[in-house]
Amino acid sequence: MIPETFGLVFAESHALGTPVLTHDCGAALEVVGDPRQVLPLTPAYRLYEAAVGSLPPRWRRLPARLAASAGLFDAILTHPRLARRERPRTGPDPRFRLSTVTEQWRALLSS
């Protein structure tokens, strides 16, 4: 499923210094900031999700196996292996510190 569009989960992860691996959907690239942590959201993947996403989990097994054998999930499976060679940036992101966000909100609300 592709539910995250705003990027709050990514911001929270980066506030704590946790790397994220996600699809390029919504504000993912803007919030994550590291293209190595963002996978392309291909038309084939969107089609798969549209066709299978609403099925009960037990009925997704066969379509998932067929999609995997067709190579649909290859980028998801190989990306962590590539990341081992060139590790993503980790550590708290100052853009998402509570003090930074609080100051931005205060400035916005006081104007």
Side-chain angles (χ1 to χ4, degrees):
M1 295 182 58
I2 311 166
E4 180 63 51
T5 56
F6 174 70
L8 183 59
V9 172
F10 312 138
E12 290 172 344
S13 293
H14 276 278
L16 299 173
T18 306
V20 173
L21 180 60
T22 186
H23 283 95
D24 190 8
C25 181
L29 186 56
E30 179 183 352
V31 174
V32 172
D34 184 355
R36 295 173 296 174
Q37 295 180 34
V38 180
L39 298 170
L41 191 56
T42 64
Y45 193 76
R46 285 184 187 269
L47 182 63
Y48 171 80
E49 282 297 325
V52 179
S54 62
L55 293 176
R58 62 186 175 160
W59 292 0
R60 294 184 205 165
R61 185 173 297 145
L62 179 61
R65 286 185 179 170
L66 292 173
S69 67
L72 184 63
F73 306 125
D74 286 354
I76 298 169
L77 298 173
T78 59
H79 194 280
R81 292 183 198 130
L82 296 174
R84 286 188 192 118
R85 283 185 254 147
E86 188 177 337
R87 299 230 180 242
R89 176 181 52 91
T90 58
D93 188 331
R95 296 178 301 161
F96 303 113
R97 283 191 188 128
L98 183 57
S99 58
T100 304
V101 173
T102 302
E103 187 173 318
Q104 289 173 348
W105 272 106
R106 284 186 179 145
L108 180 67
L109 295 173
S110 68
S111 50

